[in-house]
Amino acid sequence: MKQYDYLIVGAGLYGSMFAYRAHKAGKRCLVIDRNPHIAGGCYTEEINGINVHKYGPHIFHTSNRQVWDFMNSLVPFNDFINSPIACYRGKRYNLPFNMNTFHQLWGVNTPDEAKAIIESQRAEFAHITEPRNLEEQALKLAGRDIYETLVKGYSEKQWGMKATEIPAFVIRRLPFRFEFNNNYFNDTYQGIPIGGYTPIFRKLLEGIEVRLDTDYFENREYFDSLAEKTLFTGQIDAYFGYRLVELDFRSLRFEHKLMEGVSDFQGNAVVNYTEAEIPYTRCIEHKHFEFGKQPDTVITYEYSRKWEKGASPYYPINNERNNSLYARYAELAAGQPNVIFGGRLAEYKYYDMHQIVEKVLSMNI
């Protein structure tokens, strides 16, 4: 009998949730992570009394009552509602696209007025039957004003290429709300854990052996020998030594700033910058996630960048080339009966937090 039932590679949400459930089922678990902290991309750090989302903002939302109740059983959540703002050439626009946005763009006051302008602008591009790129897709869906003000520059920064080079599939649809409603999500439940996300992971990993600053690949043979099975949450192509070449990802860079003596920098948790000339995609002011009244504030400028080895991968690029390549890696994974591949990087799929929680809660462990 080996020392552990499960070796869990990665102390992010998928790995920590799996470890929690396995531990509750009486399994012996070892969790390892190359980071110096638990919680992966959800990690929050307290700075001057403010819980800072170190790797980008995480707003938990779900319509699954079981998922919501489970998360609140670990740490109580507040009632934060995500209502981001877009900034274009000094003007502010509400997101998602709703009657406030249309009023700010065109001065309209009724849904019929907004619909008429959108349809008239879309009509200019009715000849586009098969959009070849993001620009054509967005123009066909939304017309010129929304595209140029709120879509074009942001998308080019996010993807690191011109809108005419970005695949059309990136924008399959652009939802419009013909009501004055700035709630970004449609889910029944939404909020931020009081005290940040890191305490949730402490609860999930309570009583479980965790080794941080530990790279699985630096001593792979040793770690594989410790457990009956492995849950791997890292990059699937890295697991197989990139033998079929690398999958593509987008990465991020974060610039954190403590602003002492500034009680409120931008008046909102999230402000997106949609013009291409401003290098960052958005600015986060963390105290607003928990309705903070501290005398100082912490802001984070977020920059999108190309992923290279050594950088943290954030977003899979699910175009035809990468999906085909992932399918071949998935075939290799199927030949590893003692390894479970789970999470955004291992499954090469974008997951929201609630989707991971729901998936792991439903697993037979």
Side-chain angles (χ1 to χ4, degrees):
M1 182 179 292
K2 294 191 176 182
Q3 187 176 352
Y4 303 97
D5 294 299
Y6 287 108
L7 167 70
I8 297 164
V9 182
L13 185 56
Y14 200 111
S16 298
M17 278 290 304
F18 187 95
Y20 175 86
R21 291 212 55 224
H23 181 66
K24 291 292 185 183
K27 305 296 185 181
R28 300 159 299 151
C29 299
L30 170 64
V31 179
I32 64 173
D33 198 297
R34 66 182 181 179
N35 290 309
H37 57 73
I38 59 174
C42 297
Y43 176 67
T44 51
E45 178 183 11
E46 184 179 320
I47 299 176
N48 282 30
I50 300 166
N51 294 307
V52 175
H53 299 220
K54 295 289 283 187
Y55 304 103
H58 290 74
I59 299 97
F60 198 90
H61 57 97
T62 182
S63 291
N64 185 322
R65 180 61 183 266
Q66 180 190 14
V67 168
W68 181 248
D69 287 347
F70 172 78
M71 295 300 285
N72 277 268
S73 73
L74 300 169
V75 171
F77 279 59
N78 66 21
D79 58 354
F80 175 84
I81 298 296
N82 188 29
S83 303
I85 300 291
C87 179
Y88 179 76
R89 296 183 178 174
K91 293 185 178 180
R92 264 56 174 174
Y93 301 89
N94 289 108
L95 297 175
F97 305 143
N98 71 83
M99 282 303 300
N100 287 308
T101 322
F102 308 142
H103 178 77
Q104 292 150 355
L105 278 167
W106 306 310
V108 297
N109 294 304
T110 69
D112 284 345
E113 290 174 325
K115 291 175 184 178
I117 292 177
I118 291 171
E119 289 306 314
S120 69
Q121 293 199 3
R122 290 180 62 189
E124 181 183 348
F125 305 99
H127 63 281
I128 301 175
T129 56
E130 293 292 333
R132 297 167 296 177
N133 51 56
L134 179 142
E135 178 164 287
E136 290 186 353
Q137 179 79 345
L139 288 169
K140 182 177 177 63
L141 290 172
R144 191 173 298 280
D145 287 351
I146 290 174
Y147 168 67
E148 292 186 349
T149 305
L150 300 172
V151 176
K152 183 177 187 292
Y154 188 89
S155 299
E156 290 180 343
K157 289 186 289 187
Q158 189 75 3
W159 289 89
M161 59 183 78
K162 296 295 183 182
T164 51
E165 300 169 348
I166 302 171
F169 79 83
V170 170
I171 296 184
R172 292 187 175 92
R173 64 188 185 91
L174 283 174
F176 300 128
R177 290 185 187 162
F178 294 100
E179 57 184 12
F180 292 88
N181 178 4
N182 298 324
N183 183 351
Y184 193 79
F185 299 116
N186 291 314
D187 286 306
T188 306
Y189 310 106
Q190 181 178 172
I192 299 288
I194 298 170
Y197 280 93
T198 303
I200 287 178
F201 289 81
R202 294 195 192 105
K203 287 286 188 69
L204 290 173
L205 296 170
E206 192 172 24
I208 299 170
E209 183 178 352
V210 179
R211 302 182 193 177
L212 301 175
D213 290 309
T214 301
D215 191 332
Y216 170 72
F217 293 110
E218 288 183 357
N219 209 348
R220 181 171 180 167
E221 186 175 344
Y222 163 72
F223 285 116
D224 285 341
S225 72
L226 294 178
E228 300 290 341
K229 291 188 176 182
T230 297
L231 170 69
F232 183 78
T233 68
Q235 292 174 242
I236 191 171
D237 51 353
Y239 182 89
F240 291 105
Y242 306 103
R243 73 173 71 168
L244 303 177
V245 309
E246 299 168 7
L247 290 161
D248 294 322
F249 292 87
R250 288 297 288 173
S251 187
L252 298 172
R253 179 173 69 85
F254 303 98
E255 183 182 317
H256 305 288
K257 290 187 175 182
L258 168 63
M259 306 183 76
E260 295 182 309
V262 177
S263 62
D264 197 341
F265 175 73
Q266 63 186 20
N268 204 54
V270 181
V271 177
N272 294 351
Y273 286 82
T274 61
E275 57 195 281
E277 293 76 14
I278 292 178
Y280 42 87
T281 54
R282 56 185 177 176
C283 180
I284 313 304
E285 188 166 12
H286 301 269
K287 67 190 303 179
H288 292 294
F289 291 124
E290 298 184 63
F291 316 111
K293 302 298 181 184
Q294 299 89 344
D296 309 321
T297 195
V298 178
I299 63 170
T300 299
Y301 293 109
E302 185 175 308
Y303 300 80
S304 180
R305 67 174 185 171
K306 180 181 178 181
W307 175 81
E308 297 173 340
K309 283 185 181 179
S312 295
Y314 283 86
Y315 302 110
I317 302 177
N318 292 113
N319 56 21
E320 185 176 343
R321 178 259 184 195
N322 286 297
N323 288 341
S324 176
L325 180 57
Y326 167 70
R328 294 167 62 197
Y329 274 119
E331 290 179 7
L332 294 177
Q336 304 288 315
N338 294 322
V339 183
I340 302 166
F341 294 86
R344 184 185 294 191
L345 304 182
E347 298 179 65
Y348 201 68
K349 177 181 180 181
Y350 183 85
Y351 279 115
D352 276 328
M353 290 180 291
H354 68 283
Q355 294 169 321
I356 290 176
V357 174
E358 183 173 2
K359 182 172 184 177
V360 180
L361 284 178
S362 67
M363 291 176 70
N364 291 319
I365 297 176

